[in-house]
Amino acid sequence: MNEICQKYHISRKTVHFYIQSDLLHPLKEDNNYYRFSSENEEELKLVLRMRKAGISIEGIQDMLKYPSCANFFLFRQRVQLKKGMAEQKCAVENIERIFDEIPPNSTPDNIMAIEERELHAAKAAFDEIDARLTARMTAIFLFTPFMAQEVDDYRQFIWEKIVNITKRELGEVLPALMEHMAGLSTETVVTLSNQLAYRFISVMNDEIEKNVEYLAGALHRLCTDENMQRIWIRAYDSFIIPVRNIYQKCHKTLIHEYTATYARCMEKVEIVLHQCGQRIDEEQMHVLLEATDNRLDLLDGPVNDLFVLFCMEDSVFLSPEII
């Protein structure tokens, strides 16, 4: 314990707190002394690094519990920290304005006499870094089922291209997407991401008819569920079409090179989309077009509106559960 505390310049109390918080797991010997292995040191270094990044103890616990969501935790923390910085900056500026306005013998009455319009409300500007990181997080969620892949330098290069395409296509809606994603709970992200991944695993396992039935049910819900219809219509031009463009621009080359799983999976997804599309008769098509205000493209292909609908109820962007 002493060696660890001296090496990392932390107190025994801090180390005990991390142990009690289930962040460190050193061996406790019969004499009640803790023995730290190299693995325990790695645990500690991760905790200290996350604490320097402003991640709360609860946030680190979540990250260790759901390691595949590390990108999301860091993204959400950055948005929260930036908002906090904007609020602090605004508070400092407002103090300065008040201080300049009041007399040297002021009372709270003098402060209340200052017009409200002279004080500023906190607002963090959306900048180029925000846009890039939001595009990156959006792309991660869009391609969640295909993210279980070791990333070398070449794949990292491909991934940056995918992020740039996402950034260009979504453009004006990136600020709204940042706010939306930063407001998601850990439970929501984990649940929906797992459900979406399992759906694509199901397709990979040749459960074609099961997924055709699921998609047919989603079509029926789109015909009858007013909440789904509102989400679809509202998001169609600003999000659904750009997302289709992202998939289409990445479909033939980039995402294939990033992971071979994508090619195998999408071949089977296309079978699901085609078989379900074949079942839509003229009457149902009329109902669908009316329900979506004519915002529906069911043309055959790897990425049409049936594909978006296939993902919709498990999407962190479109799921009626969170919108």
Side-chain angles (χ1 to χ4, degrees), residues 73-95:
F73 294 130
L74 292 171
F75 176 82
R76 184 175 62 184
Q77 180 67 12
R78 179 187 177 274
V79 174
Q80 292 170 350
L81 285 173
K82 190 172 180 183
K83 282 184 177 179
M85 289 167 61
E87 290 170 357
Q88 288 185 333
K89 182 174 183 293
C90 183
V92 169
E93 291 172 351
N94 285 333
I95 287 174

Side-chain angles (χ1 to χ4, degrees), residues 227-242:
N227 189 31
M228 282 186 70
Q229 293 165 13
R230 280 193 295 271
I231 295 169
W232 187 272
I233 292 170
R234 185 180 67 212
Y236 195 77
D237 294 329
S238 63
F239 183 76
I240 292 175
I241 290 178

Side-chain angles (χ1 to χ4, degrees), residues 17-192:
F17 178 62
Y18 291 157
I19 293 171
Q20 291 164 4
S21 299
D22 200 30
L23 301 179
L24 297 181
H25 307 91
L27 175 66
K28 192 172 187 179
E29 299 182 328
D30 292 338
N31 58 6
N32 286 331
Y33 281 88
Y34 286 106
R35 181 169 296 279
F36 290 83
S37 65
S38 58
E39 288 80 6
N40 301 143
E41 278 202 62
E42 290 302 309
E43 288 180 327
L44 178 59
K45 285 193 282 189
L46 175 63
V47 171
L48 294 176
R49 182 166 294 181
M50 292 299 96
R51 292 299 286 155
K52 286 181 180 178
I55 307 291
S56 68
I57 296 299
E58 293 77 12
I60 300 173
Q61 289 170 334
D62 280 346
M63 188 178 292
L64 295 176
K65 186 177 180 181
Y66 305 110
S68 63
C69 293
N71 280 280
F72 168 70
F73 294 130
L74 292 171
F75 176 82
R76 184 175 62 184
Q77 180 67 12
R78 179 187 177 274
V79 174
Q80 292 170 350
L81 285 173
K82 190 172 180 183
K83 282 184 177 179
M85 289 167 61
E87 290 170 357
Q88 288 185 333
K89 182 174 183 293
C90 183
V92 169
E93 291 172 351
N94 285 333
I95 287 174
E96 292 167 353
R97 286 185 177 87
I98 293 171
F99 201 74
D100 284 340
E101 291 289 330
I102 59 177
N105 60 342
S106 65
T107 67
D109 289 339
N110 298 113
I111 295 174
M112 292 305 297
I114 298 173
E115 291 188 26
E116 190 68 28
R117 62 181 174 79
E118 295 180 10
L119 302 181
H120 292 177
K123 183 173 177 60
F126 188 85
D127 57 26
E128 182 62 25
I129 297 175
D130 292 318
R132 178 173 58 82
L133 295 182
T134 300
R136 185 177 189 272
M137 195 69 244
T138 301
I140 289 171
F141 280 136
L142 291 179
F143 292 101
T144 287
F146 314 107
M147 288 292 99
Q149 175 73 53
E150 290 293 328
V151 181
D152 53 21
D153 289 343
Y154 181 62
R155 286 192 175 93
Q156 186 63 36
F157 171 74
I158 293 171
W159 180 248
E160 291 304 320
K161 287 192 169 187
I162 293 172
V163 170
N164 288 334
I165 289 171
T166 304
K167 181 170 171 283
R168 286 197 301 270
E169 289 296 328
L170 288 169
E172 294 180 359
V173 299
L174 287 173
L177 286 174
M178 185 182 77
E179 291 293 325
H180 173 72
M181 290 188 289
L184 296 173
S185 70
T186 300
E187 292 75 18
T188 294
V189 168
V190 171
T191 299
L192 292 178

Side-chain angles (χ1 to χ4, degrees), residues 142 169 232 236 239-251 295-299 303-308:
L142 291 179
E169 289 296 328
W232 187 272
Y236 195 77
F239 183 76
I240 292 175
I241 290 178
V243 163
R244 276 180 17 206
N245 291 340
I246 291 166
Y247 273 100
Q248 287 164 354
K249 289 180 178 180
C250 298
H251 176 70
R295 289 173 168 84
L296 199 66
D297 176 6
L298 300 186
L299 296 175
V303 183
N304 59 19
D305 285 349
L306 278 179
F307 175 78
V308 177

